[in-house]
Amino acid sequence: MTLSFFDQFMSPSFLGVPLMALALVLPWILFPKPSPQWVTNRMITLQGWFINRFTQQLLLPLNLPGHKWAALLTSLMLFLLTLNMLGLLPYTFTPTTQLSLNMGLAVPFWLATVLMGLRNQPTAALGHLLPEGTPPLLIPVLIVIETISLFIRPLALGVRLTANLTAGHLLIQLIATAAFVLASSMPVVALLTATVLFLLTLLEVAVAMIQAYVFVLLLSLYLQENV
C-alpha cells in the first residue's frame, strides 16, 4: 500500500512507449483559439481578460527592456497552470511533479537572465555578488555566499514546485484512502474525513494556481535584476 501511493508520480507509458510528451502537449488543446471576430463567446473573452490582466501585473516591476519577455512568461504561466490544475483530476498524471521537468524549465530561464545581465550590464550583474559598504574582511566570504545563492536559485524554483504539488497529491490520496477504509466501519468518521478531503482539494486548487504564479513571478524578479 505504501508503494502504491507513489505510483501516481510514475511517468505514464503505453505498450512501453513513454507518454510524457503527450501529457505536456495535450492540455493546450483545451484552450479556445482566439477569434478574429469583433464579438466572441464568453470563454474567449474571459481567457483574453485573464491573460491581459496577468501580463499587466507581471510587467509592473519590469522596466522597458524586460517587456520583451512578456509573451514568454505569460505562456509559461498558462502552461504550468494548466498542468497543475489538470493533475488534480482523477486518473490523470501531473508532469510538474517530476523534478526533472521543473529543473528543465527553471535552469534555462534562470541561465538566460544571468547571461543577459552579464552581456548588457556586466558591472551591475557582478555587483550583486558584493553588497555596497561591505567591510573588507567580509568581502571574500560574502562573494562566496552570494555566488552560492545565485546558483541555488534554479534549484529552489524546481524543488519548490515539485515539493508543493507532490505533498498535496500524497495528502489527498492518504485522506481519500482513509475515508474509503472507514466508510464501512465508522461512517460518521468517514463523512468527516470526506469533508476534510473536499476542503483539502479546494486548497490544492489554490496551491496549483499560486505555485504556477510564484514560479513565473520569481523568474520575472530575476529578470528585473539583469535588465
Side-chain angles (χ1 to χ4, degrees), residues 129-201:
L129 301 179
L130 184 63
E132 186 178 357
T134 303
L137 294 178
L138 296 179
I139 289 178
V141 179
L142 282 180
I143 291 178
V144 173
I145 293 176
E146 292 296 330
T147 303
I148 294 175
S149 66
L150 178 65
F151 284 97
I152 285 179
R153 285 179 175 182
L155 182 62
L157 281 177
V159 171
R160 178 187 292 108
L161 183 58
T162 303
N164 281 281
L165 296 180
T166 302
H169 282 64
L170 281 176
L171 192 57
I172 286 178
Q173 187 166 0
L174 286 171
I175 296 179
T177 303
F180 179 77
V181 172
L182 295 173
S184 58
S185 58
M186 292 182 286
V188 178
V189 179
L191 181 61
L192 293 177
T193 307
T195 304
V196 174
L197 177 62
F198 175 74
L199 296 177
L200 181 62
T201 303

Coordinates of all heavy atoms in Angstrom, one line a residue, residues 129-201:
L129 N 27.0 40.4 -6.4 CA 27.7 39.5 -5.6 C 28.3 40.1 -4.4 O 28.8 39.4 -3.5 CB 28.8 38.8 -6.4 CG 28.3 38.0 -7.7 CD1 29.5 37.4 -8.4 CD2 27.3 36.9 -7.3
L130 N 28.4 41.4 -4.4 CA 29.0 42.1 -3.2 C 28.2 43.4 -2.9 O 28.2 44.4 -3.6 CB 30.5 42.5 -3.6 CG 31.3 43.2 -2.5 CD1 31.5 42.2 -1.3 CD2 32.6 43.7 -3.0
P131 N 27.5 43.3 -1.8 CA 26.7 44.5 -1.3 C 27.6 45.7 -1.1 O 28.7 45.6 -0.6 CB 26.0 44.0 -0.1 CG 26.0 42.5 -0.2 CD 27.3 42.2 -0.9
E132 N 27.0 46.9 -1.3 CA 27.8 48.1 -1.1 C 28.0 48.3 0.4 O 27.2 48.1 1.2 CB 27.0 49.3 -1.7 CG 27.8 50.6 -1.6 CD 27.0 51.7 -2.3 OE1 25.9 51.4 -2.8 OE2 27.5 52.9 -2.3
G133 N 29.2 48.8 0.7 CA 29.6 49.1 2.1 C 30.0 47.9 2.9 O 30.0 47.9 4.2
T134 N 30.4 46.8 2.3 CA 30.8 45.6 3.0 C 32.2 45.8 3.6 O 33.1 46.3 2.9 CB 30.8 44.4 2.0 OG1 29.5 44.2 1.4 CG2 31.2 43.1 2.8
P135 N 32.4 45.4 4.8 CA 33.8 45.5 5.4 C 34.8 44.7 4.6 O 34.4 43.6 4.1 CB 33.6 45.0 6.8 CG 32.1 45.1 7.1 CD 31.4 45.0 5.8
P136 N 36.0 45.1 4.5 CA 37.0 44.4 3.7 C 37.2 43.0 4.1 O 37.4 42.1 3.3 CB 38.3 45.2 3.9 CG 37.8 46.6 4.2 CD 36.5 46.4 5.0
L137 N 37.1 42.7 5.4 CA 37.4 41.3 5.9 C 36.3 40.4 5.5 O 36.5 39.2 5.3 CB 37.5 41.3 7.4 CG 38.7 42.0 8.0 CD1 38.7 42.0 9.5 CD2 40.0 41.4 7.5
L138 N 35.1 40.9 5.2 CA 33.9 40.0 4.9 C 33.7 39.9 3.4 O 32.9 39.2 2.9 CB 32.6 40.6 5.5 CG 32.6 40.6 7.0 CD1 31.2 41.2 7.5 CD2 32.7 39.2 7.6
I139 N 34.5 40.6 2.6 CA 34.4 40.6 1.1 C 34.5 39.2 0.6 O 33.6 38.7 -0.2 CB 35.3 41.6 0.4 CG1 34.9 43.0 0.7 CG2 35.4 41.3 -1.1 CD1 35.8 44.1 0.1
P140 N 35.6 38.4 0.9 CA 35.7 37.1 0.3 C 34.5 36.2 0.7 O 34.0 35.4 -0.1 CB 37.0 36.5 0.8 CG 37.8 37.8 1.2 CD 36.7 38.7 1.6
V141 N 34.1 36.3 2.0 CA 33.0 35.4 2.5 C 31.7 35.7 1.8 O 31.0 34.8 1.3 CB 32.9 35.5 4.0 CG1 31.8 34.6 4.5 CG2 34.2 35.1 4.7
L142 N 31.4 37.0 1.6 CA 30.1 37.4 1.0 C 30.1 37.1 -0.5 O 29.0 36.7 -1.0 CB 29.9 38.9 1.2 CG 29.4 39.3 2.6 CD1 29.2 40.8 2.7 CD2 28.1 38.6 3.0
I143 N 31.2 37.2 -1.1 CA 31.3 36.8 -2.6 C 30.9 35.3 -2.7 O 30.1 34.9 -3.6 CB 32.6 37.1 -3.2 CG1 32.8 38.7 -3.3 CG2 32.8 36.5 -4.6 CD1 34.1 39.1 -3.8
V144 N 31.5 34.5 -1.9 CA 31.2 33.0 -1.9 C 29.8 32.8 -1.6 O 29.1 32.0 -2.3 CB 32.1 32.3 -1.0 CG1 31.7 30.8 -0.9 CG2 33.6 32.4 -1.4
I145 N 29.2 33.4 -0.6 CA 27.8 33.2 -0.2 C 26.9 33.6 -1.3 O 25.9 32.9 -1.6 CB 27.5 33.9 1.1 CG1 28.3 33.3 2.3 CG2 26.0 33.9 1.4 CD1 28.2 34.0 3.6
E146 N 27.1 34.8 -1.8 CA 26.2 35.3 -2.9 C 26.3 34.5 -4.2 O 25.3 34.3 -4.9 CB 26.6 36.8 -3.2 CG 26.3 37.8 -2.1 CD 24.8 37.9 -1.8 OE1 24.0 37.6 -2.7 OE2 24.4 38.1 -0.7
T147 N 27.5 34.0 -4.5 CA 27.6 33.1 -5.6 C 26.9 31.8 -5.4 O 26.2 31.3 -6.3 CB 29.1 32.8 -5.9 OG1 29.9 34.0 -6.0 CG2 29.3 31.9 -7.1
I148 N 27.0 31.2 -4.2 CA 26.2 30.0 -3.9 C 24.7 30.3 -4.0 O 23.9 29.5 -4.6 CB 26.6 29.5 -2.6 CG1 28.0 29.0 -2.6 CG2 25.7 28.3 -2.2 CD1 28.5 28.5 -1.2
S149 N 24.3 31.4 -3.5 CA 22.8 31.7 -3.5 C 22.4 32.0 -4.9 O 21.2 31.6 -5.3 CB 22.5 33.0 -2.7 OG 23.2 34.1 -3.2
L150 N 23.2 32.5 -5.8 CA 22.9 32.7 -7.2 C 22.6 31.3 -7.9 O 21.7 31.2 -8.7 CB 24.0 33.5 -7.9 CG 23.8 33.7 -9.4 CD1 22.6 34.6 -9.6 CD2 25.0 34.3 -10.0
F151 N 23.5 30.4 -7.6 CA 23.4 29.1 -8.3 C 22.3 28.2 -7.6 O 21.9 27.2 -8.2 CB 24.7 28.3 -8.3 CG 25.7 28.8 -9.3 CD1 26.7 29.8 -8.9 CD2 25.6 28.4 -10.6 CE1 27.6 30.3 -9.8 CE2 26.5 28.9 -11.5 CZ 27.5 29.8 -11.1
I152 N 21.8 28.6 -6.5 CA 20.8 27.8 -5.8 C 19.4 28.2 -6.3 O 18.4 27.5 -6.2 CB 20.9 28.0 -4.3 CG1 22.0 27.2 -3.7 CG2 19.6 27.6 -3.6 CD1 22.2 27.3 -2.2
R153 N 19.3 29.4 -7.0 CA 18.0 29.9 -7.4 C 17.3 28.9 -8.3 O 16.1 28.6 -8.1 CB 18.2 31.2 -8.2 CG 18.5 32.4 -7.2 CD 18.7 33.6 -8.0 NE 18.8 34.8 -7.1 CZ 19.0 36.0 -7.6 NH1 19.0 36.3 -8.9 NH2 19.1 37.0 -6.7
P154 N 17.9 28.3 -9.4 CA 17.1 27.4 -10.2 C 16.7 26.1 -9.4 O 15.6 25.6 -9.7 CB 18.0 27.1 -11.4 CG 19.4 27.4 -10.9 CD 19.2 28.5 -9.9
L155 N 17.5 25.7 -8.5 CA 17.2 24.5 -7.7 C 16.0 24.8 -6.8 O 15.1 24.0 -6.7 CB 18.4 24.1 -6.9 CG 18.2 22.9 -6.0 CD1 18.0 21.6 -6.9 CD2 19.5 22.6 -5.1
A156 N 16.0 26.0 -6.3 CA 14.9 26.4 -5.4 C 13.6 26.5 -6.2 O 12.5 26.1 -5.7 CB 15.1 27.7 -4.7
L157 N 13.6 27.0 -7.4 CA 12.5 27.1 -8.3 C 11.9 25.7 -8.6 O 10.7 25.4 -8.4 CB 12.8 27.8 -9.6 CG 12.9 29.3 -9.6 CD1 13.4 29.8 -11.0 CD2 11.6 29.9 -9.3
G158 N 12.8 24.8 -9.0 CA 12.3 23.4 -9.3 C 11.8 22.6 -8.1 O 10.7 22.0 -8.2
V159 N 12.6 22.7 -7.0 CA 12.2 21.9 -5.9 C 10.9 22.5 -5.2 O 10.1 21.7 -4.7 CB 13.4 21.9 -4.8 CG1 12.9 21.3 -3.5 CG2 14.6 21.2 -5.4
R160 N 10.7 23.8 -5.2 CA 9.5 24.4 -4.6 C 8.3 23.9 -5.3 O 7.3 23.4 -4.7 CB 9.6 25.9 -4.7 CG 8.3 26.6 -4.1 CD 8.3 28.0 -4.3 NE 9.4 28.7 -3.6 CZ 10.5 29.2 -4.1 NH1 10.7 29.1 -5.4 NH2 11.4 29.8 -3.3
L161 N 8.3 23.9 -6.6 CA 7.1 23.5 -7.4 C 6.9 22.0 -7.2 O 5.8 21.5 -7.0 CB 7.3 23.8 -8.9 CG 6.2 23.5 -9.8 CD1 4.9 24.2 -9.4 CD2 6.5 23.9 -11.3
T162 N 8.0 21.2 -7.3 CA 7.8 19.7 -7.2 C 7.3 19.4 -5.8 O 6.4 18.5 -5.6 CB 9.2 19.0 -7.4 OG1 9.6 19.4 -8.7 CG2 9.0 17.5 -7.4
A163 N 7.9 19.9 -4.7 CA 7.6 19.6 -3.4 C 6.1 19.9 -3.0 O 5.4 19.1 -2.4 CB 8.5 20.2 -2.4
N164 N 5.7 21.1 -3.4 CA 4.3 21.5 -3.1 C 3.3 20.6 -3.7 O 2.3 20.2 -3.1 CB 4.1 23.0 -3.5 CG 4.7 23.9 -2.5 OD1 4.1 24.2 -1.4 ND2 5.9 24.4 -2.8
L165 N 3.5 20.3 -5.0 CA 2.5 19.5 -5.7 C 2.5 18.1 -5.3 O 1.5 17.4 -5.1 CB 2.7 19.6 -7.2 CG 2.5 21.0 -7.8 CD1 2.8 21.0 -9.3 CD2 1.1 21.5 -7.6
T166 N 3.7 17.5 -5.0 CA 3.9 16.1 -4.6 C 3.3 15.9 -3.2 O 2.5 15.0 -3.0 CB 5.3 15.7 -4.6 OG1 5.9 15.9 -5.9 CG2 5.5 14.3 -4.1
A167 N 3.5 16.9 -2.3 CA 3.0 16.8 -1.0 C 1.4 16.8 -1.0 O 0.8 16.1 -0.3 CB 3.5 17.9 -0.1
G168 N 0.9 17.7 -1.8 CA -0.5 17.9 -1.9 C -1.2 16.6 -2.4 O -2.2 16.1 -1.9
H169 N -0.6 16.0 -3.5 CA -1.2 14.8 -4.1 C -1.1 13.6 -3.1 O -2.1 12.8 -3.0 CB -0.4 14.5 -5.4 CG -0.8 15.3 -6.5 ND1 -0.6 16.7 -6.6 CD2 -1.4 15.0 -7.7 CE1 -1.1 17.2 -7.7 NE2 -1.6 16.2 -8.4
L170 N 0.0 13.5 -2.4 CA 0.1 12.4 -1.4 C -0.9 12.6 -0.3 O -1.5 11.6 0.1 CB 1.5 12.4 -0.8 CG 2.6 11.8 -1.7 CD1 4.0 11.9 -1.0 CD2 2.3 10.3 -2.0
L171 N -1.1 13.8 0.2 CA -2.0 14.0 1.3 C -3.5 13.8 0.8 O -4.2 13.2 1.6 CB -1.9 15.5 1.8 CG -2.6 15.8 3.1 CD1 -2.1 14.9 4.2 CD2 -2.3 17.3 3.5
I172 N -3.8 14.1 -0.4 CA -5.1 13.9 -0.9 C -5.4 12.4 -1.0 O -6.4 11.8 -0.6 CB -5.3 14.5 -2.3 CG1 -5.5 16.0 -2.1 CG2 -6.5 13.9 -3.0 CD1 -5.7 16.8 -3.4
Q173 N -4.4 11.6 -1.5 CA -4.5 10.2 -1.6 C -4.6 9.5 -0.2 O -5.4 8.5 -0.1 CB -3.4 9.6 -2.4 CG -3.6 8.1 -2.8 CD -2.7 7.6 -3.8 OE1 -1.8 8.4 -4.3 NE2 -2.8 6.4 -4.2
L174 N -3.8 10.0 0.7 CA -3.9 9.4 2.1 C -5.2 9.6 2.7 O -5.8 8.6 3.3 CB -2.8 10.0 2.9 CG -1.3 9.5 2.7 CD1 -0.4 10.4 3.4 CD2 -1.2 8.1 3.0
I175 N -5.8 10.8 2.6 CA -7.1 11.1 3.2 C -8.2 10.3 2.5 O -9.1 9.8 3.1 CB -7.3 12.6 3.3 CG1 -6.3 13.3 4.2 CG2 -8.7 12.9 3.8 CD1 -6.4 14.8 4.3
A176 N -8.1 10.3 1.2 CA -9.1 9.5 0.4 C -9.1 8.0 0.7 O -10.1 7.4 0.9 CB -8.9 9.7 -1.1
T177 N -7.9 7.5 0.9 CA -7.8 6.1 1.3 C -8.4 5.9 2.7 O -9.1 4.9 3.0 CB -6.3 5.6 1.3 OG1 -5.8 5.9 0.0 CG2 -6.2 4.2 1.7
A178 N -8.1 6.8 3.6 CA -8.7 6.7 5.0 C -10.2 6.8 5.0 O -10.9 6.0 5.7 CB -8.1 7.8 5.9
A179 N -10.8 7.7 4.2 CA -12.2 7.8 4.1 C -12.8 6.5 3.5 O -13.9 6.1 3.9 CB -12.6 9.0 3.2
F180 N -12.2 5.9 2.5 CA -12.7 4.7 1.9 C -12.6 3.5 2.9 O -13.6 2.7 2.9 CB -11.9 4.4 0.6 CG -12.3 3.1 -0.1 CD1 -13.4 3.1 -0.8 CD2 -11.6 1.9 0.1 CE1 -13.9 2.0 -1.5 CE2 -12.0 0.8 -0.6 CZ -13.1 0.8 -1.3
V181 N -11.6 3.4 3.6 CA -11.4 2.3 4.6 C -12.4 2.5 5.7 O -13.0 1.5 6.2 CB -10.0 2.2 5.1 CG1 -9.9 1.2 6.3 CG2 -9.0 1.9 4.0
L182 N -12.7 3.7 6.2 CA -13.6 3.9 7.4 C -15.0 3.9 7.0 O -15.9 4.0 7.9 CB -13.2 5.2 8.0 CG -11.8 5.3 8.7 CD1 -11.5 6.7 9.1 CD2 -11.7 4.3 9.8
A183 N -15.3 3.9 5.7 CA -16.7 4.0 5.3 C -17.6 2.9 5.8 O -18.8 3.1 6.2 CB -16.8 4.1 3.7
S184 N -17.1 1.7 5.9 CA -17.9 0.5 6.3 C -17.9 0.4 7.8 O -18.9 -0.1 8.4 CB -17.3 -0.8 5.7 OG -15.9 -0.9 6.0
S185 N -16.9 0.7 8.5 CA -16.8 0.5 9.9 C -17.3 1.7 10.7 O -18.0 1.6 11.7 CB -15.4 0.1 10.4 OG -14.5 1.2 10.0
M186 N -16.9 2.9 10.3 CA -17.2 4.1 11.1 C -17.7 5.2 10.1 O -16.9 6.0 9.6 CB -16.0 4.7 11.9 CG -15.6 3.8 13.0 SD -14.2 4.4 14.0 CE -12.9 4.1 12.8
P187 N -19.0 5.2 9.7 CA -19.5 6.1 8.7 C -19.4 7.6 9.1 O -19.1 8.4 8.2 CB -21.0 5.7 8.5 CG -21.0 4.3 9.1 CD -20.0 4.2 10.2
V188 N -19.6 7.9 10.4 CA -19.5 9.3 10.8 C -18.1 9.8 10.6 O -17.9 10.9 10.1 CB -20.0 9.4 12.2 CG1 -19.8 10.9 12.7 CG2 -21.4 8.9 12.4
V189 N -17.1 9.0 11.1 CA -15.7 9.5 10.9 C -15.4 9.5 9.4 O -14.6 10.5 9.0 CB -14.8 8.5 11.6 CG1 -13.3 8.9 11.5 CG2 -15.1 8.4 13.1
A190 N -15.9 8.6 8.6 CA -15.6 8.6 7.2 C -16.2 9.9 6.6 O -15.6 10.5 5.6 CB -16.2 7.4 6.5
L191 N -17.4 10.3 7.0 CA -18.0 11.5 6.5 C -17.2 12.8 6.8 O -17.0 13.7 6.0 CB -19.4 11.7 7.0 CG -20.2 12.9 6.6 CD1 -20.4 12.8 5.0 CD2 -21.6 12.9 7.2
L192 N -16.7 12.8 8.1 CA -15.8 13.9 8.5 C -14.5 13.9 7.7 O -14.0 15.0 7.2 CB -15.5 13.8 10.0 CG -16.7 14.0 10.9 CD1 -16.3 13.8 12.4 CD2 -17.3 15.4 10.7
T193 N -14.0 12.7 7.4 CA -12.8 12.6 6.6 C -13.0 13.1 5.2 O -12.2 13.7 4.6 CB -12.3 11.2 6.6 OG1 -12.1 10.7 8.0 CG2 -10.9 11.1 5.9
A194 N -14.2 12.7 4.7 CA -14.5 13.2 3.3 C -14.7 14.7 3.2 O -14.3 15.3 2.2 CB -15.8 12.5 2.8
T195 N -15.2 15.3 4.3 CA -15.3 16.7 4.3 C -13.9 17.4 4.3 O -13.7 18.4 3.6 CB -16.1 17.2 5.6 OG1 -17.4 16.5 5.6 CG2 -16.3 18.7 5.6
V196 N -13.0 16.8 5.1 CA -11.6 17.3 5.1 C -11.0 17.2 3.7 O -10.3 18.0 3.3 CB -10.8 16.6 6.2 CG1 -9.3 17.0 6.1 CG2 -11.4 16.9 7.6
L197 N -11.3 16.0 3.1 CA -10.8 15.8 1.7 C -11.3 16.8 0.8 O -10.5 17.3 -0.1 CB -11.2 14.4 1.3 CG -10.8 14.0 -0.1 CD1 -9.3 14.0 -0.3 CD2 -11.3 12.6 -0.5
F198 N -12.6 17.2 0.9 CA -13.1 18.2 0.0 C -12.5 19.6 0.2 O -12.1 20.3 -0.8 CB -14.6 18.3 0.2 CG -15.3 19.4 -0.6 CD1 -15.5 19.3 -1.9 CD2 -15.7 20.6 0.1 CE1 -16.1 20.3 -2.7 CE2 -16.3 21.6 -0.6 CZ -16.5 21.5 -2.0
L199 N -12.3 19.9 1.5 CA -11.6 21.2 1.8 C -10.2 21.2 1.3 O -9.6 22.2 0.8 CB -11.7 21.5 3.3 CG -13.1 21.7 3.8 CD1 -13.0 21.9 5.3 CD2 -13.8 22.9 3.2
L200 N -9.5 20.1 1.5 CA -8.1 19.9 1.0 C -8.0 20.0 -0.5 O -7.0 20.6 -1.0 CB -7.5 18.6 1.5 CG -6.0 18.4 1.1 CD1 -5.1 19.4 1.8 CD2 -5.6 17.0 1.6
T201 N -9.0 19.5 -1.2 CA -9.0 19.6 -2.6 C -9.1 21.1 -3.1 O -8.4 21.5 -4.0 CB -10.1 18.8 -3.2 OG1 -10.0 17.4 -2.8 CG2 -10.1 18.8 -4.7

